[in-house]
Each structure stands twice: as C-alpha cells, then as structure tokens.
Amino acid sequence: CWRVMSAMLVTELLEAERTGSRWLMIVLHGLGDSMEGYRWLPEVLQIPELNYLLVNAPDSYYEGYSWYDIDDPNSGVERSRNVLTEVLGQMQREGYPPEKTYLFGFSQGCLMTMEFVSRYEHALGGYVGISGYCLSPEAILTEMNPATNNHKWLITHGVQDELIPIQVVRSQIKKLNDSGFAIDYREYTKSHTIAPVREWPDIR
C-alpha cells in the first residue's frame, strides 16, 4: 500500500506471505534510484515472514531520488536521519517493533544505514549495508548508541567497485572494528552492484 510517510517521503509496504508477521525490512536505495528498483527483493530473499517497506529518498535526482547532495553531504544526511527517525517511529506505532526491524541500504542507502542506525535510540534486529561508506568513523564512534553494537551488522563491498574504492571502505571498517564496533565485513569480486551468487545467500 502506498503512503506519504511525511511531507518529504513516500513509502510502500510489501506485505509478508505469512499474514500478521511483524518482521520488517526497511529498504534504502542508492543515488538516482527509487523504490521501484527493489520490488524484486521478496522473491530473491525468499523469507516468507518478512515485510518490506520500500522508501523513496527525499530529494529528486534526474529520474530518481537522493538522500543527500554528494558534493555537500552533511546537511542532507542529517536531514535524512531525521526523516528516517519519523519512519521508524511510524512503523513502530503500526506494530513493527525495533527488535524485529532490519535496515537495508545500497550505496547512498548504505551510508544512511551506517550514519542513521549507529545513532538511533533503539537497537534494531539487524543492519545490512552494501557498496557504501560512512562520512566519519570517528563521529560514529563518538556519537553511537552502544546498544546498536550487537554483532548484527553486515557490511559488504566489491573489490572492483569503480565508484567507492575498496581501500577507503577497508580503512573505515578497520577503524570501526578496532574500536569495538562489531561489523561482519565481507568483500566480493564485483563492481558497484550486488553479487547474485555469493552475496544474496550471505544477506539471507
């Protein structure tokens, strides 16, 4: 069902095969994409208990949307963090508790996953970030909610990523993990995409 979650955001809930399930995955797309790019997710993951909330980012970007301005990200990331706080609050009021909610993000959506849930007041069921990075590991470590460091982070990246160099991501993840931030980090022989054979089973 389509809904306007706030004045800035449009979402759509894809309901689980198992009626009444309260498990939820919130899906954040990458730059220039939209919720339309992830309608196939239920078929690929094949988890009958899982509902999916597909989300369009707040800003128009060519034929799609963006979460922040890539040339000046800080203000957009902060604004989008506030919007996602509204989304999580609304879904909780609708009966989807934080401990049964997962956040899934690709590229810009991965950055938003890391920047948002590391600081969010509730620990979620799990976090999946694909082919992204964070603005500042130091800021995350300073501002994080310790409850989110619960060994339920999966961050993946491609060694052939042409947009976000693997060396940048390796350095950031090492800094986070060396400081006690528990991330299951995995690399794949892929570019800026999702590897269907190896990556989907790991995410599932």
Side-chain angles (χ1 to χ4, degrees), residues 85-125:
T85 298
E86 293 182 31
V87 171
L88 269 293
Q90 179 61 34
M91 297 312 293
Q92 188 172 356
R93 289 189 291 273
E94 293 183 19
Y96 297 93
E99 65 270 16
K100 290 190 173 184
T101 298
Y102 292 80
L103 201 62
F104 171 104
F106 176 78
S107 194
Q108 273 203 356
C110 174
L111 184 145
M112 287 309 309
T113 296
M114 297 183 72
E115 294 288 338
F116 169 67
V117 290
S118 60
R119 298 169 170 87
Y120 187 51
E121 61 178 332
H122 300 292
L124 303 185

Side-chain angles (χ1 to χ4, degrees), residues 8-128:
M8 306 174 71
L9 213 63
V10 175
T11 68
E12 184 177 1
L13 182 66
L14 306 181
E15 295 184 351
E17 294 178 25
R18 295 189 182 176
T19 305
S21 173
R22 298 290 91 187
W23 291 97
L24 177 68
M25 176 177 279
I26 299 175
V27 182
L28 310 182
H29 61 75
L31 177 65
D33 204 351
S34 73
M35 67 170 66
E36 299 300 324
Y38 290 87
R39 293 188 178 279
W40 44 264
L41 208 51
E43 182 178 353
V44 169
L45 286 181
Q46 296 182 348
I47 303 174
E49 301 87 357
L50 199 55
N51 299 276
Y52 298 83
L53 186 74
L54 307 183
V55 184
N56 278 347
D59 298 333
S60 296
Y61 186 87
Y62 294 95
E63 299 300 317
Y65 301 90
S66 72
W67 294 98
Y68 53 87
D69 185 336
I70 58 175
D71 294 320
D72 182 23
N74 289 284
S75 60
V77 168
E78 183 176 358
R79 182 275 322 274
S80 290
R81 281 171 49 196
N82 293 334
V83 171
L84 288 173
T85 298
E86 293 182 31
V87 171
L88 269 293
Q90 179 61 34
M91 297 312 293
Q92 188 172 356
R93 289 189 291 273
E94 293 183 19
Y96 297 93
E99 65 270 16
K100 290 190 173 184
T101 298
Y102 292 80
L103 201 62
F104 171 104
F106 176 78
S107 194
Q108 273 203 356
C110 174
L111 184 145
M112 287 309 309
T113 296
M114 297 183 72
E115 294 288 338
F116 169 67
V117 290
S118 60
R119 298 169 170 87
Y120 187 51
E121 61 178 332
H122 300 292
L124 303 185
Y127 320 97
V128 179

